[in-house]
Amino acid sequence: MLFTRRGTGTGRHRLGLAAVTALSLGVLTACGGGSGSSDDAPESTTIKDLVVDVLAEPDSLDPFYRNTAEAQRYYRLVYSSVLQWNEDGTLAPDLAAELPSVSEDGLTWTIKLRPDVTFHDGSALTAADVVHTIEEAQDPENGAVWLSGVAYVKSAKAQGDDTVVIELTEPYAYLDSKLAMIPIISDEDEYAPNKTYATTGNGSGPYRFESLKRGDALKLVRNEGYYGDAYKFETVTFKVIPEDASRIARLTNGESHIVPDLPTDQVELVSKRGAKAETVENNVSRLFAYPSMNADRPTSNVDFRLAIANAIDRQRIVDQVYGGAGRPNSTYLTYGTLHHDEELGESFGEKPDLDKAKEHLAASGVDLDRKLNIIAVKDPNVVSAATIVQANLKELGIEATVDSQDVAGFYANLVSGDYDLILFDSPASTSTGFAPDYVNGGLNSKAANNFAKFKDEQMDALLDTAMTAQGEEAQAEAWRAVQERDVQTQGNIQIAVSQISEAWSNQLAGYQPSATLWLNTLRDVK
């Protein structure tokens, strides 16, 4: 399987994401315009105050409330987890003193914690805090984005200050991946969703929260009491710069040091201006549409959703929106993820199938007497894709409007169901790192981050099998069944996957972009 830059006239090919995954999850591949000149790159970094220019700020700093890229760039530096992801897709201890011990039946996990870890407020981090974190994530009233990840946890108990014992209802195949994702919070803070940590933080990570100025900057200061190796930078500031041209100018004139989410077609320009830039092949982002499942919305009808899915010109979106650095996508379990099935991932093809779309539209029985309401998250790529979808639907005979909204605005609509379609672009590593179980979080009817409230009993059963299947062969078979049902139902209408590009200063010695959506490789800077 190949990622191909189509329509650019270069004929350049990229190694396929599934192949990369099969060889070694998390391997970085330099693509696009190269990485700039490094002849004068320093042997060690002299930058003390790191500036990262981001397109938008987190709408909340609560590590349980959101798992967007904007939020995770912040709280992965402020909070620690029991385990952590390495860039090669393996797991390592973080707050844990060693990898967990697992019983022969897979139902009991015993975790030994590091001694002498403290939160930023000075209080000790103990087994009670890990138990508290799991229990708060399990409480459906909290609506935590990690709820589906603890669905198989029967109990979590502290044995003294340094040992946590987790009992499972079934041998959950991906608990270790969740232990590397769920940020540990203090049991001394009375947690309230989007209140306790909405505008502040109290983690145990390498940086502590310093200040937040809405619309301007979010500043972190190095945690001098951090239990691990100290990070190079005294401060990390996320500066909100929504214009790509301004971000590129600031990077190349030395005002900033990292530009995540760089438009792929700007990689060569950045390199020519003396900074570094790469397209990270196996860090992919899914473009999809949430269909409202409210009974009074046409998108609650499966045939209507399949009509839309068959009408979309996916290759045009890949070419025009992502400059060819992507590919059409039909399944939630996306390219580059373990157990992705390439044939199913191409089910809806590169080009629209209007005949099939019209068949599904007729079968839906929907006679729309108004314009379809499309909301696009306020991102240039997503808005551009939405206008292409709008044109595609017109060919199908469906008139639509496109409304651009920021994160806070569209989440309110998403929760209420007061929309028809919401287009969103989300990195595949959002909730699980390199593991495939993010699909459970998005399509399981009981998952807190199944925001569109898609409900399909057969899908729930298939996901349950996939989450508990033991062994590679059984897991691959189970996830294929999930993808087959996904193509039949489209609880999220899948559109395309794109590769994420990043630019950074020549002065960052040893830095490479991460294969995750957060700044996982800052720890490697020399």
Side-chain angles (χ1 to χ4, degrees):
M1 184 195 59
L2 297 175
F3 256 62
T4 306
R5 286 187 63 89
R6 306 173 195 264
T8 62
T10 65
R12 180 184 298 140
H13 295 279
R14 296 196 172 100
L15 178 64
L17 294 173
V20 173
T21 303
L23 292 171
S24 174
L25 281 167
V27 178
L28 298 179
T29 303
C31 305
S35 57
S37 171
S38 59
D39 294 342
D40 58 351
E43 293 184 3
S44 63
T45 297
T46 58
I47 298 166
K48 292 183 179 180
D49 300 303
L50 184 75
V51 178
V52 183
D53 278 359
V54 294
L55 293 168
E57 64 191 4
D59 67 320
S60 174
L61 303 186
D62 186 340
F64 276 31
Y65 189 66
R66 295 279 189 254
N67 58 5
T68 60
E70 294 81 11
Q72 289 206 46
R73 288 188 191 114
Y74 156 76
Y75 64 69
R76 294 288 167 210
L77 293 174
V78 172
Y79 295 84
S80 301
S81 298
V82 171
L83 302 177
Q84 68 181 16
W85 284 106
N86 294 320
E87 286 296 305
D88 63 358
T90 60
L91 290 161
D94 189 2
L95 290 172
E98 59 194 29
L99 291 175
S101 172
V102 185
S103 63
E104 188 173 345
D105 62 6
L107 295 178
T108 303
W109 289 56
T110 303
I111 303 163
K112 294 287 186 182
L113 299 177
R114 291 175 180 263
D116 303 323
V117 176
T118 59
F119 287 100
H120 298 158
D121 66 1
S123 61
L125 189 154
T126 69
D129 298 297
V130 177
V131 171
H132 167 72
T133 298
I134 292 172
E135 290 176 345
E136 293 295 344
Q138 281 185 306
D139 185 347
E141 293 298 316
N142 288 335
V145 293
W146 313 112
L147 176 63
S148 64
V150 291
Y152 299 96
V153 175
K154 180 180 179 181
S155 67
K157 296 180 180 178
Q159 292 186 352
D161 286 343
D162 66 349
T163 303
V164 178
V165 177
I166 299 175
E167 298 285 348
L168 302 179
T169 57
E170 296 182 66
Y172 177 28
Y174 305 104
L175 179 60
D176 53 356
S177 76
K178 279 299 179 291
L179 292 175
M181 297 298 293
I182 300 175
I184 301 302
I185 60 176
S186 172
D187 68 348
E188 294 188 14
D189 297 333
E190 186 175 346
Y191 178 73
N194 199 29
K195 291 183 181 179
T196 307
Y197 304 119
T199 58
T200 188
N202 182 29
S204 57
Y207 287 89
R208 58 179 176 81
F209 171 82
E210 174 72 9
S211 63
L212 171 64
K213 185 177 180 181
R214 286 292 181 194
D216 180 28
L218 169 60
K219 185 177 180 179
L220 312 180
V221 175
R222 188 165 57 198
N223 173 19
E224 300 300 343
Y226 182 53
Y227 54 85
D229 293 335
Y231 280 43
K232 184 70 179 178
F233 313 103
E234 294 180 6
T235 67
V236 176
T237 299
F238 296 99
K239 183 73 173 174
V240 179
I241 306 291
E243 302 83 13
D244 287 320
S246 298
R247 294 199 300 155
I248 292 171
R250 283 170 49 82
L251 175 70
T252 55
N253 68 23
E255 292 180 79
S256 68
H257 309 106
I258 297 177
V259 174
D261 303 322
L262 178 76
T264 299
D265 60 5
Q266 300 297 303
V267 167
E268 292 188 18
L269 172 64
V270 170
S271 299
K272 288 177 180 177
R273 291 187 178 181
K276 295 195 172 197
E278 286 185 3
T279 298
V280 187
E281 178 147 11
N282 54 338
N283 187 359
V284 299
S285 190
R286 297 168 39 247
L287 175 68
F288 60 92
Y290 288 108
S292 174
M293 296 298 164
N294 282 10
D296 61 343
R297 295 284 174 169
T299 45
S300 65
N301 181 292
V302 62
D303 275 299
F304 192 85
R305 297 198 299 273
L306 291 173
I308 294 172
N310 279 284
I312 296 173
D313 191 336
R314 289 168 172 78
Q315 191 59 53
R316 181 181 170 193
I317 290 172
V318 168
D319 290 341
Q320 293 187 12
V321 177
Y322 298 110
R327 64 174 301 161
N329 185 43
S330 303
T331 54
Y332 202 120
L333 187 66
T334 194
Y335 296 95
T337 304
L338 191 66
H339 304 313
H340 170 75
D341 185 283
E342 183 178 351
E343 182 181 358
L344 290 169
E346 297 176 340
S347 294
F348 296 119
E350 297 178 352
K351 293 295 182 181
D353 187 336
L354 279 178
D355 289 339
K356 188 173 289 186
K358 289 176 180 177
E359 288 176 10
H360 281 292
L361 185 59
S364 74
V366 172
D367 184 15
L368 200 60
D369 59 357
R370 59 173 176 80
K371 291 184 177 181
L372 198 75
N373 169 230
I374 301 176
I375 297 173
V377 66
K378 192 173 289 183
D379 173 278
N381 286 341
V382 178
V383 174
S384 295
T387 60
I388 293 174
V389 172
Q390 180 186 35
N392 296 155
L393 293 180
K394 188 172 184 178
E395 291 291 316
L396 185 58
I398 297 174
E399 295 287 339
T401 60
V402 174
D403 178 25
S404 176
Q405 294 184 2
D406 59 21
V407 171
F410 92 78
Y411 264 115
N413 283 292
L414 193 54
V415 171
S416 70
D418 189 20
Y419 64 95
D420 291 319
L421 292 176
I422 291 180
L423 260 67
F424 190 59
D425 196 347
S426 175
S429 60
T430 292
S431 58
T432 56
F434 297 108
D437 56 315
Y438 60 88
V439 180
N440 185 63
L443 295 180
N444 191 312
S445 65
K446 298 179 287 295
N449 47 334
N450 176 0
F451 297 113
K453 300 180 180 64
F454 170 69
K455 185 175 183 179
D456 180 82
E457 291 182 0
Q458 185 176 339
M459 177 62 84
D460 284 353
L462 292 171
L463 285 166
D464 186 60
T465 299
M467 297 290 279
T468 58
Q470 300 299 298
E472 289 293 311
E473 186 175 343
Q475 289 178 18
E477 181 179 349
W479 284 112
R480 178 177 171 81
V482 167
Q483 292 167 85
E484 288 173 341
R485 185 61 179 167
D486 187 14
V487 170
Q488 295 166 2
T489 57
Q490 289 293 280
N492 272 197
I493 298 173
Q494 303 302 314
I495 299 173
V497 291
S498 61
Q499 294 163 304
I500 293 174
S501 297
E502 186 171 309
W504 69 101
S505 170
N506 256 331
Q507 302 307 304
L508 293 178
Y511 180 78
Q512 286 287 320
S514 175
T516 64
L517 78 158
W518 60 92
L519 299 174
N520 199 37
T521 51
L522 280 188
R523 59 191 179 189
D524 300 327
V525 174
K526 300 175 183 177

